[in-house]
Amino acid sequence: MRAGRRAVAAVLVAAALMPLGSGCWDARELNQLALVMAVGIDQAAESGRYTVTVQIARPGGQEGKSRGGGSGDASGGEPIYVAAADGDTIFAAIRNLAQFTSRRIMWAHNNVVVIGESLARRNITPVVDFFTRNQELRMRTWVVVAKGTDARYIVSAQTGIERVPADSISALFRYAQLPGESIKSDVNDVSAAFFSPDLTPVLAAVQLNERALRPSENPRGQGKVPQVELAGIAIFERTRLIGFVERETSRGLLWLRRQMRNASLTLPCPGSSDEHMAIEIRGPRVTVTPRLVRGLPAFHLHVDSHAWLTEQDCREYRVDAVQLKEHVRKELERKIAREVQATMKVLQTELKQDAVRFGHLTHVRYPAWWKANRPRWRELFPQVPVTVSAEIRIPKMGLYVRPEAPEAPE
Amino acid sequence: MAATMPTHLDQIKAAVQSEFGNTMDLIVRTFATGSGRSGLIVCFDGLAEGKGVETALNAVTHWTNPPFSYPMVDGDPITILKESLVGLPEVKVARKLDEVFTAVLQGQTAIFLEGAGTALLADTRYHPGRSVDEPATEAEVRAARDGFVENIILNITLVRRRIRDPKLRFEPQQIGRRTRTDVALAYIEDLADAKLVAEARRRLQRIEIDAVLGTGQIEELIRDSPLSPFATVAITERPDRVSAALLEGRVVIMLDNTPFCLMLPTVFWEYVQTPGDYQLSFLISSFLRLLRLIAILTALTLPSLYVILTTFHHEMIPTPLALSVAGGREGTPLPTLLEVLGMEITFEIIQEAGLRLPRAIGQTVSIVGALVIGEAAVQAGLVSPSTVIVIATAGITGFAIPSFSASLSIRLVRMPLLLLSGTLGVFGFIMGTSILALHLCSLRSFGVPFLSPVAPLRRMEQQDTLVRFPTWKLNRRPGLGLQDRSPRQKQDLMPQPPKGGGSS
């Protein structure tokens, strides 16, 4: 009886201690982790080895860190720590990082994946594969191509106003819609395009440019600091980079990909081409419709939007509101058509790559035609014509018809 | 013990002496009536009110010529005395000594006359105690300010003043072989379900205990699910709450010598309700109830969620927060779980220490608690600032729970949940909260499911749970599922402008 009770007690105690016996399963303290903020991937030309560069946030160097912390050496100092390691595969390279980083690499907070141009020109399959396979990574991480440089330089650059440079890079995309000159490309988009038979990946490109000045005690010795800036759009052919659409011509691409969220355009004044007015377009509804004309698809882009007159420098009041609206609509149409044509020229003659999803649109609209002509699409694409039309509404127009200027003395 | 009363005063005196022995507060005094008959008076000093005893003594000693104008009281002097003692509200004739002893212990005065064979019990009970004061544990901003005191008669009065209903009953009982504590089972006869009243009565009568010194013993002896950390009997010291409960057809158990009453049955939602809710706009009180529910959930889960997020699921924290938490943790020696656990226990200890100290020293405790435990521990790098914030928030939200017993339950349940979360991560957290939810669903209070009317869902009875409907919509008594279902007010009481579009 007594022994039986003791046995029961022993089992109960063992059961009670069981959760503690496991320790804290998979528990990792936040300060034992290296939070990766940005990662760059390059490939060496000869050996084919991958180099992975990670930008890790140092919590001690952040705002709002613990004051003192006793010794004080853990806190303060640089906000980031950049390290690189190489390996035969991306995963191996990351594992090699562990040889010298004191903390476990943690990917969940990664903002940006930068692909070096040389790697992008060769084959991005390993990158897409690794970053879609890893469950710690988010599908909403930006993916960009480092134009004309290796990814490691982008990742290690002290760029932007934020303490963590990766935040600055990430913010470039968050606000990329303002100038309307770059696209947002995240892992999700890239892998979707990558795995679709009709699409091809289109990534934002970044480059280093010596934009910022380093404040210095010596006024002569101000050094220039390279900053990461948006540099147009990288066009891929399935797995490899074939070229860039420059920033100036990238707006047409955005129109055609229906990714234009916000655009500001400069239009000539009515009846005077050397005076200008600025129009801002917000949240346009863009439709691209294919139409088969004599066995070849033709595309029509229609923009339907509200437009705000944000600035008007026209010195003379020449037209009434209705005429002004018609003028803006026409000029807008011309302007967008020009932008679209410029982009199409690059895509159709230089790159010969359907980066505007025309193939996909045709597939959806004319499946039979697409089935018959898919193998010839590469040859047909450079010939497809694009037309543009626009419809605008100008709210609060009355406020803008007369320029704000002092009355000329009589 | 003598069943019948001895006729001679000497025998009575001896019996009294043997029953009560030598005790300081016992008054046994012989006297002579006006007509020369000797008598004996027995009462307890302090229990019996001096003025009442004096009235009784006066009447007896001046009693020279009994009024024989009442033929039916012919002969028996005690009965005659009873009829003539008009200066006291209640007088009784006792025929047994036991009866006398019980009555004397309640503060009545016993008067014996030589050769009478019966005794006269004059109600001279004295009700000492403090005056009615603001309830300490359930303060309200805009509601009645009176709270119960330690005197059951006064407490009953406070309720009776609020409900002038002839059907209001305070069924007397005595519990405790030695304490013989007065217990009143209060209910409104035509509102409360007879089965509920009978059940409450049965559970009270079941109690055989030698002493009852507070509501705690009664509560533990009559409650459902006696092992649960959640109180299935509500406790209050507010007369308005008791009145509201009675008017909802519930049963209230009142106890002498304590300002607290037990209300039954009770449901979980009472944890977030206060009497003040009905004095404020229904919009505001609904908002406040929601706030209190959030406080309950926060107090229960915040430390666990913090530990889970910082040790297991770092990807769920927004990046800037992750960085600042990580920055705060730089150089702290303990893992997050132990840190949180330690701070939690420290917080509880500070709370416990502050509770019983005299007010002057209590301030020292709060200063030491705030500065040393909070500020200095962070400064010294012993704990991370985010942990202190989490523990402080959990503590403060714990205080926002109106029901003290609910607050205690939450504090109690928080610890095992924290341990589960800290060892097994989100899995342990889900396990803990699931067990908790199942347990709450299984609880019953006097036949009413604890989570009703939400689980089981009764759609028509939602007027007064988390959201309080406006008064003109509270047409039915809350669905404790037990009582009279008739509406308690006229329908369509919503104030409206007069019909017919006046041009005035």
Side-chain angles (χ1 to χ4, degrees), chain A residues 69-392:
Chain A
S71 48
D73 53 358
S75 50
E78 291 292 310
I80 55 163
Y81 167 73
V82 183
D86 56 358
D88 290 329
T89 59
I90 296 175
F91 184 72
I94 287 169
R95 274 287 173 260
N96 286 340
L97 278 174
Q99 289 176 354
F100 56 90
T101 48
S102 57
R103 299 182 175 190
R104 187 180 166 274
I105 306 285
M106 155 111 180
W107 293 97
H109 288 279
N110 189 15
N111 281 317
V112 191
V113 178
V114 186
I115 303 172
E117 184 172 342
S118 52
L119 166 61
R121 287 204 182 271
R122 199 171 301 179
N123 185 5
I124 58 162
T125 313
V127 180
V128 175
D129 182 82
F130 178 78
F131 284 96
T132 46
R133 214 179 274 280
N134 186 333
Q135 89 280 5
E136 233 181 43
L137 277 158
R138 303 198 171 191
M139 298 302 273
R140 299 297 304 276
T141 310
W142 306 123
V143 185
V144 301
V145 172
K147 185 181 178 186
T149 175
D150 272 350
R152 79 185 75 177
Y153 301 115
I154 303 285
V155 171
S156 60
Q158 260 300 352
T159 182
I161 309 166
E162 317 299 327
R163 284 190 76 79
V164 177
D167 282 346
S168 307
I169 301 179
S170 158
L172 287 182
F173 293 96
R174 201 164 302 142
Y175 305 116
Q177 54 183 1
L178 282 183
E181 286 173 355
S182 183
I183 61 164
K184 296 178 167 187
S185 49
D186 57 27
V187 177
N188 211 10
D189 298 337
V190 172
S191 59
F194 193 79
F195 295 120
S196 155
D198 299 340
L199 301 177
T200 190
V202 172
L203 269 61
V206 292
Q207 67 186 13
L208 284 173
N209 196 346
E210 294 193 334
R211 295 268 193 175
L213 298 178
R214 178 180 289 125
S216 163
E217 302 81 40
N218 176 5
R220 295 253 191 91
Q222 281 183 335
K224 286 190 172 167
V225 187
Q227 297 287 290
V228 175
E229 65 174 18
L230 296 172
I233 296 167
I235 307 292
F236 281 72
E237 186 196 342
R238 310 292 313 145
T239 61
R240 59 187 188 86
L241 174 72
I242 52 169
F244 295 93
V245 171
E246 297 300 325
R247 233 180 60 226
E248 296 72 34
T249 43
S250 62
R251 290 168 64 114
L253 194 74
L254 287 180
W255 285 119
L256 288 165
R257 287 177 64 90
R258 305 204 294 140
Q259 285 174 337
M260 187 65 89
R261 295 279 167 271
N262 203 321
S264 68
L265 302 117
T266 309
L267 307 177
C269 280
S272 160
S273 57
D274 54 346
E275 291 168 339
H276 294 97
M277 49 204 258
I279 294 280
E280 192 180 9
I281 284 180
R282 294 184 202 158
R285 280 170 43 180
V286 182
T287 46
V288 180
T289 24
R291 195 162 35 88
L292 276 182
V293 183
R294 284 185 297 272
L296 192 69
F299 292 86
H300 181 73
L301 176 91
H302 180 73
V303 178
D304 185 353
S305 173
H306 281 279
W308 275 259
L309 266 162
T310 50
E311 188 180 332
Q312 172 171 325
D313 303 337
C314 313
R315 276 187 295 275
E316 282 176 63
Y317 177 59
R318 299 187 184 90
V319 292
D320 65 14
V322 180
Q323 288 169 317
L324 179 69
K325 184 192 165 209
E326 184 54 24
H327 166 79
V328 169
R329 192 189 69 76
K330 263 200 196 131
E331 288 296 330
L332 196 70
E333 225 171 68
R334 278 230 315 262
K335 184 98 182 175
I336 296 174
R338 265 209 306 279
E339 289 177 356
V340 166
Q341 295 310 337
T343 306
M344 285 308 288
K345 200 176 141 215
V346 173
L347 291 180
Q348 290 180 317
T349 60
E350 277 178 41
L351 302 173
K352 297 196 170 52
Q353 190 59 39
D354 174 16
V356 286
R357 305 197 271 216
F358 279 2
H360 178 72
L361 290 172
T362 318
H363 186 179
V364 172
R365 185 74 187 268
Y366 302 106
W369 185 91
W370 180 253
K371 212 171 176 184
N373 291 285
R374 171 186 276 170
R376 290 173 56 226
W377 181 242
R378 276 187 64 91
E379 300 142 45
L380 292 176
F381 173 73
Q383 301 162 34
V384 297
V386 180
T387 50
V388 174
S389 67
E391 184 55 53
I392 57 158

Side-chain angles (χ1 to χ4, degrees), chain B residues 66-86:
Chain B
F68 285 108
S69 51
Y70 304 104
M72 65 280 197
V73 297
D74 171 34
D76 180 9
I78 288 290
T79 316
I80 296 163
L81 181 60
K82 181 188 168 199
E83 296 302 315
S84 60
L85 248 182
V86 288

Side-chain angles (χ1 to χ4, degrees), chain A residues 25 28-29 31 109 138, chain B residues 311-312 314-315 317 329 336:
Chain A
W25 198 316
R28 285 206 176 82
E29 294 299 334
N31 54 342
H109 288 279
R138 303 198 171 191
Chain B
T311 53
F312 294 96
H314 318 97
E315 67 277 1
I317 322 174
R329 282 199 52 79
T336 313

Side-chain angles (χ1 to χ4, degrees), chain A residues 19-20 23-31 33 35 37 57 59-60 62 64-67 74 103 106 108-109 138 164, chain B residues 310-312 314-319 322-332 335-337 375 379 381 422-424:
Chain A
L20 298 176
C24 299
W25 198 316
D26 279 349
R28 285 206 176 82
E29 294 299 334
L30 209 43
N31 54 342
L33 293 173
L35 303 184
M37 294 284 122
Q62 304 302 315
K65 64 204 185 299
S66 116
R67 279 165 299 160
R103 299 182 175 190
M106 155 111 180
H109 288 279
R138 303 198 171 191
V164 177
Chain B
T310 53
T311 53
F312 294 96
H314 318 97
E315 67 277 1
M316 287 173 74
I317 322 174
T319 309
L323 284 176
S324 67
V325 171
R329 282 199 52 79
E330 292 290 323
T332 54
T336 313
L337 173 62
E375 185 70 16
Q379 286 272 11
T423 50
L424 298 177

